[in-house]
Amino acid sequence: MAGASGGFLAGVNDPWLKPRLLRALVAERLPQPGGTELPPVELASVLGAVRTHGLLTESLPDCAPEDPKLAVAWRAAVDSWVERAVALVESDSAYSCWLGTCFLGMTFQECSNERFAESYSNWYEKILSNLQEPSNLQLVTVISCTSMSDLFVRLAKFLNLKKEASAFAGRVVEPVLRLLNENGLVADEATDLLRAVIKLYPSSVNRHYNKVESAIVATVMSTEVNIKPSDKFARTLALLPSIRVSEDSWSLMIRRILIVVNNLLNEALVGLEEEKNGHDIMLLLVPPGADPPPTLGDQVRSGANVHITKKFHVCTVPTISALMHCCSVMLTSYYPVQVNVPTRALVALIRRVLLVDGSLHKKLLPSTTSLHQELICFELPSLHSTFLDLLSATIKGMRSQLLPHGASIIRLVTEYFKIAKLPSLRTKAYSILQLLLTSMGVGTLLHLLEVTVSNAIADLNDDGGSDMTIINTNPSKVTNESSSKIYSKKRKQEPQVQNSFVSGSEKAAISPRKRKGSSVPIASKAMTHETTGDVRISTPLSVKIAALETLEILLNVGGSLQTDRWRPEVDLLLINVAINACDTGGSYEQKPSTFGGASILDLQLASLKALLASFLSSPYARPPYLAKGIKLFMKGNSSYEYKCEFIQTIFSVCQFDCKYPHKYIILHRKAYLIMNLNLLMSTLYSRSTLVFTYLWSNL
């Protein structure tokens, strides 16, 4: 009661602080309707104070649960805040209306449940009037859409008000559609409001279904809307099947989308593929004798007034990307009933785009211009990225149900690796491999061995994969063919390098027993210090990391399968990559990463994790490079937490190594002692390198 009379407060936790602060805000800092404008900094300060101190919550603290004077004072203060906000909303001044809508939106979020249940109907009418009669000030319409979304989100928590809330949501649909059709500048916020209505009250949109679909499709295919929010429109389109939940609504929607995209591709890929591709996909979507599905939206093609050389960039590609993003969302989102996915048509459409490399089809006479071919090649990376995302969503959404189509997907991925040269596309292709390895079973893994191992070796071996070419080998020939190539190359270069310095890491990576007649290749020249000054561009770090992560998953899932065919080369490659990545003087260090991209630390961690997977899945009694791996972790730049995890795992491996116990008892002692130094390292982390060096040299 210290601050009840307006005197001094007992402190920051005095319950009377909040009503007194709120009264001061309304009296001194909130402008009157039509008054002076509030500076943005001052507005942010007012809203921040309301949120930080909880001035609108009206929740009495435990120290004063039954203080009637405090409750009355706080309620009066909130009443004054709400009255000022409503007065600003009703003002003829556009700025005052915008300011009051901001304050009212904050009230929707912060006020007590009792006050919201009492006043939401009146507040709803105030905001709805702004949407029905859009203001000349665009910011008023924008903040009205945002505040109305906040109101519906809060209203959905009151289950007893669901019927009335659904009626309110139905009244909002037509004003929102008018904003989408007439005012593209506020399309982003209007779409947010429409998505909130569909998610929370889908039945309220049922009678407006056709209008909603037409408006969204027209917005997606419009050239006047920025490309950035097109993903938001696509997600809204993906929500429409939830309005009319049935076994056919979802399948019908995705078939209609695929038909539109297939028709757009027919125009875009003229002369770059076989003419029958589009026809074959259409037969999968609309079998002979079946009635074609209704067109998507009003099917009004936009871009009619755009020059033909610009149409492909500003209309066709953004439309295809948005519709494919819609399919990805549909495939990975929950739907309450079982649906029938047109998998064959979906995979065929993905294959159609991913195997286009921009070259003219050999069996056809040129049926396109060189300018159109240039436009296609300019946009192909964007299209490939979109359809790789769609393939990823298909695998995530269907998983084991995709097994009947596994052979075609494996062939597609194998062929696409020959086309993918850009780092971003190659990284996504590796992510597809990772999904296939983890979601489609060991049987599929056997068929993915070739594409995974050959491409990973090409990308991780800078000498052989600097141009991202693919080593086309069978798993049974990986070791022998690659070995013979490297040995022949070494034999030709021997007179030139016999006086050169050979690094210790290269010598250490080669077992003496495998230097004569072994099928395992020696460490490549690109993995030693001699290539520090090499001017050739190696594979980007992001691609190397993706290749290492793929090899890690391959080793974890099927590291013991057909090991005699690929494991020796992969194990040797991983130890060399890890040594090179953790060596501060290695060639990787001279290739700085772009802002926000992969760094050398990311490569080090990926290489060490792949090396650990190699050790744990080794088919031999003892992993061939175990000692070198432990030594590498001791002096590597990996984090302390990962070092401890690695040491504990390696120690468990050593405990079960009973075949040669007399050779590795020292290794046991070192690993065991290091495990017991975890507490010391956590307190002396800055000197952990010195601790490890001392222990390693004295044990």
Side-chain angles (χ1 to χ4, degrees):
M1 298 294 293
S5 60
F8 292 103
L9 297 168
V12 69
N13 296 320
D14 192 325
W16 281 91
L17 173 64
K18 295 182 179 181
R20 290 176 59 173
L21 281 179
L22 187 58
R23 285 200 307 267
L25 280 177
V26 175
E28 301 174 6
R29 304 178 66 179
L30 262 62
Q32 295 288 341
T36 59
E37 295 186 1
L38 199 64
V41 176
E42 181 69 11
L43 175 60
S45 175
V46 171
L47 296 178
V50 172
R51 190 182 298 276
T52 301
H53 293 280
L55 302 184
L56 302 179
T57 59
E58 298 184 60
S59 58
L60 298 178
D62 295 336
C63 60
E66 298 179 358
D67 190 344
K69 293 184 178 180
L70 175 60
V72 171
W74 202 346
R75 184 173 182 82
V78 176
D79 287 341
S80 63
W81 164 275
V82 173
E83 291 172 1
R84 181 66 57 84
V86 171
L88 290 170
V89 171
E90 296 174 343
S91 174
D92 295 335
S93 170
Y95 175 80
S96 296
C97 182
W98 170 78
L99 194 63
T101 307
C102 290
F103 293 147
L104 207 54
M106 173 67 73
T107 308
F108 297 160
Q109 302 175 26
E110 295 291 319
C111 71
S112 64
N113 290 335
E114 293 77 9
R115 181 174 292 274
F116 184 86
E118 293 174 1
S119 307
Y120 75 91
S121 179
N122 182 41
W123 295 341
Y124 167 83
E125 297 295 340
K126 303 298 181 184
I127 304 298
L128 182 63
S129 63
N130 291 342
L131 297 177
Q132 292 174 336
E133 300 177 1
S135 171
N136 295 329
L137 185 63
Q138 178 183 335
L139 289 176
V140 174
T141 306
V142 170
I143 194 62
S144 297
C145 291
T146 304
S147 298
M148 187 66 81
S149 298
D150 294 336
L151 187 143
F152 281 126
V153 170
R154 182 71 182 274
L155 194 56
K157 299 178 182 179
F158 295 81
L159 299 180
N160 59 325
L161 300 176
K162 185 175 182 179
K163 184 176 180 180
E164 188 173 1
S166 182
F168 282 177
R171 295 174 57 190
V172 170
V173 175
E174 289 190 355
V176 171
L177 293 178
R178 186 165 55 251
L179 291 176
L180 286 175
N181 295 328
E182 299 177 0
N183 192 351
L185 298 176
V186 298
D188 196 5
E189 289 75 16
T191 304
D192 285 336
L193 176 55
L194 185 59
R195 288 182 62 213
V197 170
I198 296 175
K199 279 186 175 182
L200 299 174
Y201 311 103
S203 61
S204 64
V205 192
N206 193 11
R207 64 190 182 95
H208 304 284
Y209 184 92
N210 293 333
K211 293 181 180 180
V212 171
E213 181 185 292
S214 299
I216 296 174
V217 173
T219 306
V220 169
M221 303 182 71
S222 174
T223 58
E224 299 177 358
V225 182
N226 296 330
I227 297 178
K228 181 180 179 181
S230 60
D231 286 348
K232 187 173 294 186
F233 304 140
R235 291 194 297 271
T236 307
L237 184 62
L239 284 174
L240 293 187
S242 63
I243 296 176
R244 298 175 176 176
V245 178
S246 66
E247 295 181 359
D248 299 329
S249 61
W250 190 96
S251 302
L252 181 63
M253 173 63 73
I254 200 167
R255 285 174 55 207
R256 294 162 69 195
I257 293 174
L258 295 180
I259 289 174
V260 173
V261 173
N262 190 59
N263 292 334
L264 291 174
L265 292 174
N266 288 339
E267 301 177 6
L269 303 180
V270 173
L272 306 180
E273 61 172 1
E274 294 185 12
E275 294 181 354
K276 67 173 185 177
N277 287 353
H279 178 69
D280 292 343
I281 295 175
M282 187 61 69
L283 289 179
L284 295 175
L285 292 170
V286 186
D291 295 330
T295 57
L296 185 65
D298 292 334
Q299 204 63 34
V300 177
R301 294 295 307 278
S302 60
N305 299 326
V306 181
H307 193 272
I308 189 171
T309 59
K310 189 179 179 182
K311 180 180 178 181
F312 186 74
H313 171 67
V314 301
C315 180
T316 304
V317 173
T319 299
I320 293 175
S321 299
L323 293 178
M324 290 298 92
H325 182 70
C326 175
C327 292
S328 299
V329 174
M330 293 176 66
L331 287 165
T332 54
S333 300
Y334 169 78
Y335 196 68
V337 300
Q338 187 175 1
V339 297
N340 181 22
V341 182
T343 310
R344 290 185 60 194
L346 195 61
V347 174
L349 190 65
I350 296 173
R351 181 182 184 86
R352 179 185 183 185
V353 175
L354 291 185
L355 296 188
V356 172
D357 60 359
S359 61
L360 297 178
H361 196 272
K362 298 178 181 179
K363 297 182 181 180
L364 300 175
L365 294 175
S367 55
T368 185
T369 63
S370 60
L371 177 59
H372 183 70
Q373 185 185 22
E374 291 176 5
L375 292 174
I376 293 290
C377 292
F378 180 79
E379 297 293 345
L380 266 183
S382 175
L383 284 176
H384 282 192
S385 179
T386 299
F387 279 82
L388 285 173
D389 291 337
L390 178 60
L391 179 57
S392 176
T394 304
I395 299 172
K396 291 178 181 178
M398 299 190 65
R399 293 191 175 274
S400 59
Q401 298 178 10
L402 205 60
L403 283 175
H405 310 275
S408 60
I409 293 178
I410 292 172
R411 286 194 300 269
L412 171 60
V413 174
T414 303
E415 294 176 24
Y416 184 71
F417 263 102
K418 302 175 184 178
I419 300 174
K421 304 296 181 183
L422 294 178
S424 59
L425 299 181
R426 201 162 179 84
T427 302
K428 283 193 175 184
Y430 274 117
S431 68
I432 299 295
L433 274 180
Q434 295 171 20
L435 284 174
L436 291 173
L437 290 171
T438 55
S439 62
M440 295 188 66
V442 179
T444 303
L445 184 144
L446 292 173
H447 299 283
L448 292 172
L449 271 176
E450 177 182 353
V451 61
T452 304
V453 173
S454 61
N455 284 283
I457 291 175
D459 287 330
L460 293 173
N461 186 348
D462 289 336
D463 188 26
S466 60
D467 58 350
M468 291 187 187
T469 56
I470 300 175
I471 302 176
N472 293 317
T473 60
N474 292 321
S476 59
K477 300 179 181 180
V478 168
T479 303
N480 296 330
E481 291 185 6
S482 59
S483 302
S484 61
K485 291 180 181 178
I486 294 180
Y487 274 121
S488 62
K489 186 183 297 184
K490 286 283 184 179
R491 201 175 297 117
K492 292 178 182 178
Q493 296 178 354
E494 187 175 358
Q496 303 175 5
V497 299
Q498 52 182 308
N499 295 326
S500 62
F501 172 75
V502 180
S503 66
S505 61
E506 182 176 6
K507 292 180 180 179
I510 309 172
S511 175
R513 293 179 298 174
K514 296 179 181 179
R515 291 180 182 176
K516 296 181 180 181
S518 173
S519 62
V520 181
I522 62 176
S524 65
K525 184 179 69 174
M527 292 183 180
T528 61
H529 298 298
E530 288 82 352
T531 59
T532 301
D534 198 342
V535 297
R536 291 175 300 175
I537 300 176
S538 67
T539 308
L541 290 181
S542 59
V543 179
K544 289 181 179 293
I545 293 171
L548 287 168
E549 292 173 346
T550 306
L551 283 180
E552 179 190 357
I553 293 176
L554 175 65
L555 291 167
N556 288 331
V557 176
S560 60
L561 298 176
Q562 299 181 352
T563 54
D564 57 324
R565 300 183 178 183
W566 59 279
R567 279 303 297 266
E569 188 168 6
V570 169
D571 291 340
L572 179 61
L573 178 69
L574 291 178
I575 187 65
N576 279 298
V577 170
I579 290 173
N580 211 5
C582 294
D583 190 348
T584 56
S587 58
Y588 297 130
E589 199 67 24
Q590 299 190 8
K591 304 177 183 65
S593 60
T594 58
F595 177 77
S599 66
I600 186 64
L601 295 178
D602 298 324
L603 179 66
Q604 290 172 357
L605 182 60
S607 64
L608 294 176
K609 292 176 69 176
L611 185 62
L612 177 58
S614 173
F615 291 162
L616 296 179
S617 63
S618 177
Y620 313 107
R622 167 188 167 271
Y625 308 107
L626 180 61
K628 295 181 179 65
I630 293 182
K631 186 175 181 180
L632 183 64
F633 268 81
M634 292 307 95
K635 64 178 183 180
N637 294 326
S638 58
S639 65
Y640 158 71
E641 291 81 2
Y642 195 75
K643 280 182 181 178
C644 294
E645 178 185 351
F646 177 81
I647 291 301
Q648 293 174 9
T649 307
I650 292 301
F651 180 66
S652 64
V653 173
C654 292
Q655 283 182 317
F656 292 100
D657 184 11
C658 302
K659 191 172 183 179
Y660 308 102
H662 59 284
K663 292 184 179 180
Y664 305 107
I665 185 65
I666 297 178
L667 189 60
H668 279 261
R669 291 176 56 200
K670 292 178 180 179
Y672 183 76
L673 183 55
I674 291 171
M675 283 176 58
N676 288 280
L677 285 175
N678 288 350
L679 180 60
L680 176 62
M681 286 184 61
S682 63
T683 57
L684 301 175
Y685 175 68
S686 61
R687 287 178 282 175
S688 60
T689 304
L690 297 177
V691 173
F692 273 112
T693 303
Y694 175 79
L695 291 172
W696 196 265
S697 60
N698 288 277
L699 283 177

